Amino acid sequence: MLTNPLTKNIGPENIAADIERYRESGGYRGWSKALEMAPGDIVKMVQDGGLRGRGGAGFNTGLKWSFVPRGADSPSIKYLVCNADEMEPGTFKDRLLMERDPHLLIEGMAIAAYAIGAHTAYIFIRGEYHLAAERLEQAIDEARQEGLLGNSIRGTEFSLEIFVHRSAGNYICGEETALLNALEGKRAVPRAKPPFPQVSGLWGKPTVVNNVETLCNIPNLIEHGIDWYRSLGRGEDAGSKLFGVSGRVKNPGTWELPMGTPIREIIEQHAGGMCDGYQLKGFLPGGGSTDFLGPDHLDLPMDYDVIGKAGSRMGTGTIIVLDDHTCPVGLVLNLTRFFARESCGWCTPCRDGLPWAVQILERLENGEGVPEDLDLLREQARRMGPGNTFCALAPGAAEPIQSALKLFEQDFIDHVMHGCCPFEKVAEASAAV
Amino acid sequence: MTSMIEPEVVELMERSNKHPSTAEAQLTEAEIEEIEREFSRYEDKASVGLEALRIVQKHRGWISDETLRAVSNFLQIPVAQLESVATYFQLIFRQPVGKEVILLCKSASCWIMGCSRLQQKLQNKLQIAPGQTTADGIFTLLETPCLGDCDKAPVMMVGEEMHRNLTDESIDKIIENKKAHHADQSPD
């Protein structure tokens, strides 16, 4: 039984699977099957398969598609957009999929576009991913030449063009409505919701925005069916997922594993455990905008709701490990500086709150903090939380701050008590020896 | 994090307020052809703004005021609208940059793996701070959000090339190689 649908064509060498190699392993069979199905049945199949968005939010993909108006009186123009603006700190999974198996994404997009009735689709890719963009353009050309894209695909009435749009930086483009503004040639500020993009998105037309990895799940789900797809997961959630680990572990990397794989297994077996002389102090389970979890949480399975109940988010599923030699205040300062710089400046809690949080954290890290700073920072994180801002950037930024204050409170207090960063002192002492 | 405006920038703004320039560059045939190719992919001309800036920047290295006006005129969108896009995206350069733009990743994983120390090393070697260009015009150093190669941290990009698992030694080598490359290319 196929257990690695996302990475089956990815070998050790840094080459992209071309269309021949892709087809040898069953490529474009899902697309052929989809073309014989009614679009509504595909939406239902994806919904029942239990595929949840791999960009971080974890929303049921088929359900998202089902909000697109369909039928004779629905708008004739609809769009599909692939969010390939991978920029979440500590996230390195979509790059792998696009560079090494670009046809998997193209096939997933073709099926998704057919399911929602879109004839134009865009891959919104970050400007720094040159190799991925080139390989995707080549894959699109190959698919066009074989009549898998273009006009009257496989003798049907369905036509589809896929274009690669290279962006030029800015984390906020990962937010789907900001991304749509950027595609329209505007400043990438988020839009008010509702209306949701599925009703009024790109150029005011119904639009679905899906993450790269989400779309890469589609071809095999359609080809092998719901039961197979659901059976891939070890816990509550269906399918497999790219999990990654970075930080001071012996073997940092990315692996396709069943949903519901325990965190301990990912860090200790696949990532080889901590580097010699280092202990795990905590970790961010799914990128920079998720809450820290601690050693007590290592036995949790990586399922969306389980990680949610533990007080964090599975996010992108790429784990950043914090070791016992690295200062948690310094790490939170690094993350908060990043979010402050990437704020689009549209709403006050984010535009003003993040730089304020940076100032408090700088004070603490430099040993100039006072005991009241901890409460001030807590209050600041709360004010940037859900419901107070226009989009999810500031609430995401608040997650590592609020959780670090809980999990590593003693480290924050030590910075105030010692009037310096205790971790720097240790580093200096060991460097002097 | 306070937004400091450099005195030179203030001077420049005051000067341009007193003597607004209306000079406009000419787009080349090659640039126009590439921009026009994009038109068919988008619903309207205004949407091609970022693509057009990227195309022109590829040819000219950066976007001057004159170039910005030429692009806005060609796309028939207000120059202020195009400027709002040009200044928003960090990979569109509104100031001259060196032949090699270094994007140094400063994100969480690279920070844990010691990018701050490497940045110091790089700055000492190049004798510039982030946002500046070396006196010989070869390198511009920029800090960048996560480059998505975190299992090989610390990382940086030089031009379109990724450099992974950076060390003091590898940074020396990368910079020296680039210097030698550009020395070979110079006419004298």
Side-chain angles (χ1 to χ4, degrees):
Chain A
M1 192 185 77
L2 178 65
T3 56
N4 59 341
L6 297 171
T7 54
K8 64 179 174 180
N9 296 320
I10 298 179
E13 281 174 86
N14 185 7
I15 48 167
D18 62 10
I19 196 158
E20 254 173 60
R21 160 129 180 66
Y22 184 67
R23 294 191 106 158
E24 271 167 30
S25 66
Y28 289 108
R29 270 194 229 148
W31 183 210
S32 299
K33 185 175 169 188
L35 281 168
E36 289 166 11
M37 293 169 69
D41 292 343
I42 297 173
V43 174
K44 177 124 196 349
M45 197 169 166
V46 172
Q47 190 174 340
D48 293 346
L51 168 61
R52 299 177 68 168
R54 303 295 198 234
F59 194 78
N60 182 297
T61 303
L63 190 61
K64 191 175 193 180
W65 293 0
S66 74
F67 299 143
V68 174
R70 50 181 61 251
D73 55 351
S74 71
S76 61
I77 298 177
K78 302 180 182 84
Y79 293 107
L80 171 74
V81 179
C82 169
N83 184 347
D85 203 51
E86 179 168 70
M87 224 180 279
E88 178 70 22
T91 300
F92 49 105
K93 63 183 185 69
D94 296 341
R95 179 201 275 273
L96 179 81
L97 292 168
M98 293 187 287
E99 286 185 352
R100 308 286 277 279
D101 199 9
H103 281 285
L104 184 64
L105 176 59
I106 303 302
E107 185 179 3
M109 288 183 73
I111 298 170
Y114 176 75
I116 63 164
H119 300 286
T120 307
Y122 296 93
I123 302 173
F124 187 100
I125 189 166
R126 64 180 297 190
E128 295 89 342
Y129 279 11
H130 299 281
L131 184 64
E134 278 167 27
R135 288 182 174 175
L136 284 165
E137 277 173 343
Q138 193 181 343
I140 292 168
D141 283 346
E142 287 174 350
R144 274 186 65 94
Q145 277 165 20
E146 301 217 0
L148 295 159
L149 296 174
N151 289 325
S152 313
I153 297 166
R154 298 265 142 137
T156 65
E157 283 176 13
F158 187 72
S159 307
L160 174 65
E161 296 294 348
I162 299 179
F163 300 118
V164 175
H165 173 96
R166 290 167 166 83
S167 186
N170 294 54
Y171 174 72
I172 191 66
C173 292
E175 202 280 342
E176 63 179 15
T177 60
L179 182 154
L180 295 176
N181 274 338
L183 252 181
E184 289 185 13
K186 297 174 184 156
R187 275 176 97 89
V189 290
R191 298 175 179 175
K193 294 191 231 182
F196 287 89
Q198 293 93 319
V199 177
S200 175
L202 190 60
W203 296 298
K205 307 293 192 305
T207 305
V208 164
V209 183
N210 282 144
N211 164 262
V212 171
E213 189 186 354
T214 309
L215 290 160
C216 286
N217 272 269
I218 306 291
N220 286 287
L221 197 173
I222 298 300
E223 189 193 343
H224 300 291
I226 294 171
D227 292 340
W228 165 80
Y229 187 77
R230 296 199 75 96
S231 75
L232 287 177
R234 271 167 70 169
E236 293 170 14
D237 281 319
S240 59
K241 165 115 193 54
L242 288 184
F243 291 110
V245 181
S246 65
R248 294 206 183 273
V249 291
K250 286 194 182 117
N251 176 32
T254 332
W255 313 273
E256 181 181 6
L257 300 169
M259 287 294 287
T261 301
I263 296 165
R264 188 186 295 281
E265 200 177 307
I266 299 173
I267 294 178
E268 291 180 2
Q269 282 182 27
H270 299 281
M274 299 302 290
C275 290
D276 293 335
Y278 293 87
Q279 299 272 325
L280 182 141
K281 188 177 174 79
F283 60 95
L284 295 157
S289 65
T290 59
D291 288 86
F292 280 98
L293 294 175
D296 296 349
H297 296 110
L298 280 172
D299 291 310
L300 293 179
M302 278 293 244
D303 271 328
Y304 288 100
D305 295 343
V306 174
I307 303 297
K309 275 180 207 143
S312 186
R313 290 188 303 122
M314 204 174 78
T316 59
T318 39
I319 299 166
I320 303 172
V321 171
L322 170 67
D323 59 81
D324 60 343
H325 293 220
T326 300
C327 173
V329 180
L331 179 57
V332 174
L333 172 60
N334 169 281
L335 287 164
T336 312
R337 272 189 185 140
F338 165 79
F339 291 118
R341 194 174 71 176
E342 294 300 319
S343 168
C344 80
W346 186 264
C347 66
T348 312
C350 183
R351 180 190 59 237
D352 288 2
L354 280 165
W356 198 5
V358 168
Q359 282 179 24
I360 303 169
L361 284 159
E362 277 175 345
R363 218 154 55 211
L364 287 164
E365 181 64 358
N366 295 336
E368 295 152 4
V370 291
E372 294 76 37
D373 280 340
L374 271 66
D375 279 335
L376 196 57
L377 195 56
R378 265 189 207 102
E379 174 65 9
Q380 199 53 44
R382 194 188 61 76
R383 284 175 191 268
M384 295 189 297
N388 297 332
T389 61
F390 208 68
C391 82
L393 191 145
E399 288 177 25
I401 301 176
Q402 71 194 15
S403 52
L405 281 164
K406 268 186 229 152
L407 242 65
F408 314 122
E409 189 179 15
Q410 193 55 49
D411 292 298
F412 281 83
I413 294 170
D414 286 350
H415 278 71
V416 176
M417 301 307 282
H418 298 171
C420 68
C421 171
F423 290 83
E424 263 174 31
K425 246 187 171 171
V426 172
E428 273 166 27
S430 59
V433 170
Chain B
M1 195 145 77
T2 47
S3 67
M4 290 275 291
I5 300 179
E6 305 287 335
E8 308 91 80
V9 177
V10 174
E11 207 187 296
L12 184 76
M13 288 187 333
E14 282 174 351
R15 213 175 337 127
S16 57
N17 280 343
K18 274 185 213 150
H19 308 285
S21 162
T22 50
E24 189 183 308
Q26 289 290 319
L27 296 184
T28 64
E29 270 178 39
E31 287 166 342
I32 289 175
E33 198 189 311
E34 280 182 64
I35 296 170
E36 282 180 339
R37 208 177 305 148
E38 295 293 328
F39 285 162
S40 63
R41 302 175 159 203
Y42 297 85
E43 200 165 281
D44 52 38
K45 278 188 177 182
S47 302
V48 180
L50 181 61
E51 296 281 355
L53 289 170
R54 168 196 297 293
I55 288 165
V56 174
Q57 180 170 286
K58 191 179 71 192
H59 291 278
R60 303 176 186 217
W62 66 293
I63 304 292
S64 67
D65 290 354
E66 291 75 20
T67 304
L68 187 80
R69 272 187 221 104
V71 175
S72 89
N73 196 20
F74 182 71
L75 296 177
Q76 299 189 318
I77 54 175
V79 68
Q81 186 182 327
L82 193 65
E83 174 75 319
S84 78
V85 174
T87 53
Y88 193 82
F89 290 92
Q90 56 213 21
L91 295 181
I92 298 296
F93 306 131
R94 286 289 278 116
Q95 290 177 42
V97 290
K99 295 182 181 110
E100 303 283 351
V101 175
I102 301 175
L103 299 176
L104 181 75
C105 183
K106 294 288 300 281
S107 271
S109 310
C110 283
W111 183 82
I112 292 172
M113 300 308 283
C115 71
S116 305
R117 203 182 49 75
L118 289 176
Q119 175 170 8
Q120 212 49 58
K121 149 104 197 166
L122 195 56
Q123 287 182 203
N124 290 344
K125 188 165 176 67
L126 298 173
Q127 287 294 304
I128 50 171
Q132 295 179 340
T133 300
T134 50
D136 58 11
I138 296 181
F139 299 101
T140 297
L141 177 63
L142 298 176
E143 299 176 349
T144 185
C146 187
L147 286 172
D149 244 333
C150 320
D151 52 340
K152 301 172 195 78
V155 300
M156 68 179 185
M157 277 182 93
V158 182
E160 295 192 1
E161 297 160 21
M162 277 302 297
H163 295 276
R164 304 171 167 105
N165 296 315
L166 292 173
T167 60
D168 284 353
E169 296 74 40
S170 69
I171 283 186
D172 274 336
K173 215 169 139 193
I174 294 160
I175 298 300
E176 293 309 325
N177 283 348
K178 284 288 174 197
K179 273 190 186 164
H181 171 76
H182 288 286
D184 288 348
Q185 304 243 311
S186 72
D188 38 55

